[in-house]
Amino acid sequence: MRGVLVTFEGIEGSGKSTQLLRLSERLRRRGVDHLVTKEPGGTALGAEIRRLLLTRHASGEIWAPEAELLLFYADRAQHLKAVIRPALDAGQVVLVDRFEDSTRAYQGASGIPEDALNHLRDLVLQRLRPHLTVLLDLEPEQGLTRAGTRNEALPGFQETRFDEAAVDFHRRVRQRFLQIAKDEPQRVSIVPAKEDPAVVEAGVWRAVSPLLRSSGFEVEKKSRASKTSL
Ligand code: TYD
């Protein structure tokens, strides 16, 4: 494996997708070979799993927490085999919108015990771990206000996004993300996500660029001609 795996994590509305696009654009301008992908739904089959997970069934039935957990891992196993491992083997920088820590935060907050999470992680990821995880940290009240959509088939989303139960669920999810960062400070970099997107973007770049540089990627600006280029 020659590439670099960078994952982006955070609660809904933390701006992961915006920041991934901005980072991707920055890397494109610098000619860094990279791939942007996401979970759930980073493969053709995974897109089917994503639909099953995030769209409420006409019957009103919702997933049992254990079924939901296994669907996220089914998606991840396929994503690793079909997309992530081949890209890393080809030496690419792989940027993933949500990965393993989302399961630990969300399904952990839904009551799945730690040892079950560890077991499935070891089965599906084997020894692979992200080289870096960017945690975009935000208060749940702000994230939920920002997020425009609802994933209404998931346990945390059964109520409207703005009610106390939903906020409480996301508070627990956020705390779990922060605990992961505390446990693995060498892997997880916390970037406050409350600021203006340009400020957050600079924070993301401060977290990501040293890793890329030390991994042999050419991340300096191609030209100093324009002072406005990022
Ligand atoms: P998505 O629309 O991609 O949300 P976002 O834009 O916030 O990333 O929906 C993904 C949802 O799935 C989100 O609510 C988080 C949840 N999720 C889990 O609960 N466990 C997981 O392992 C993953 C990857 C996502």
Side-chain angles (χ1 to χ4, degrees):
M1 191 190 79
R2 301 179 296 120
V4 171
L5 178 60
V6 182
T7 63
F8 281 70
E9 300 282 7
I11 59 166
E12 270 95 309
S14 58
K16 286 181 286 85
S17 313
T18 305
Q19 291 301 328
L20 265 162
L21 278 178
R22 285 175 174 240
L23 176 60
S24 174
E25 176 57 22
R26 208 182 258 253
L27 294 178
R28 191 191 61 74
R29 283 200 301 269
R30 286 160 165 81
V32 176
D33 188 16
H34 68 284
L35 175 81
V36 180
T37 181
K38 68 169 180 187
E39 291 191 1
T43 62
L45 291 173
E48 297 287 309
I49 296 177
R50 180 184 172 90
R51 188 178 53 75
L52 289 173
L53 277 165
L54 302 186
T55 316
R56 170 102 61 145
H57 193 262
S59 66
E61 185 178 342
I62 63 160
W63 292 107
E66 295 77 11
E68 180 192 285
L69 172 76
L70 293 171
L71 285 168
F72 278 116
Y73 271 111
D75 173 72
R76 183 159 307 132
Q78 188 67 18
H79 196 204
L80 280 162
K81 180 166 190 289
V83 176
I84 296 178
R85 287 190 190 275
L88 292 173
D89 287 342
Q92 287 189 297
V93 175
V94 182
L95 308 175
V96 191
D97 189 343
R98 293 197 185 281
F99 193 62
E100 175 68 18
D101 297 326
S102 277
T103 311
R104 305 189 79 83
Y106 283 83
Q107 278 61 59
S110 299
I112 302 291
E114 200 77 7
D115 57 346
L117 294 172
N118 290 341
H119 185 69
L120 286 166
R121 177 197 59 201
D122 292 347
L123 176 73
V124 171
L125 269 65
Q126 294 164 12
R127 292 216 304 273
L128 183 78
R129 296 290 181 276
H131 295 93
L132 172 71
T133 296
V134 176
L135 173 57
L136 293 172
D137 181 49
L138 193 68
E139 306 264 346
E141 289 83 351
Q142 288 166 325
L144 295 182
T145 306
R146 274 195 203 171
T149 57
R150 289 176 62 189
N151 295 313
E152 46 185 23
L154 297 182
F157 301 89
Q158 288 167 43
E159 316 297 333
T160 65
R161 274 184 174 264
F162 303 96
D163 73 13
E164 202 40 49
V167 173
D168 186 60
F169 177 76
H170 285 88
R171 259 189 217 122
R172 283 186 282 129
V173 171
R174 181 193 186 205
Q175 284 315 316
R176 283 175 178 268
F177 277 131
L178 290 172
Q179 187 61 49
I180 294 168
K182 207 168 167 192
D183 293 344
E184 297 181 67
Q186 68 296 349
R187 171 173 70 85
V188 184
S189 188
I190 301 174
V191 176
K194 192 181 168 182
E195 308 297 328
D196 190 74
V199 176
V200 180
E201 181 184 352
V204 169
W205 187 241
R206 272 197 299 280
V208 173
S209 52
L211 169 70
L212 299 186
R213 214 172 278 125
S214 69
S215 306
F217 290 94
E218 190 66 58
V219 294
E220 309 315 324
K221 284 183 208 169
K222 285 268 187 261
S223 154
R224 297 198 157 266
S226 163
K227 285 223 154 112
T228 55
S229 74
L230 294 169

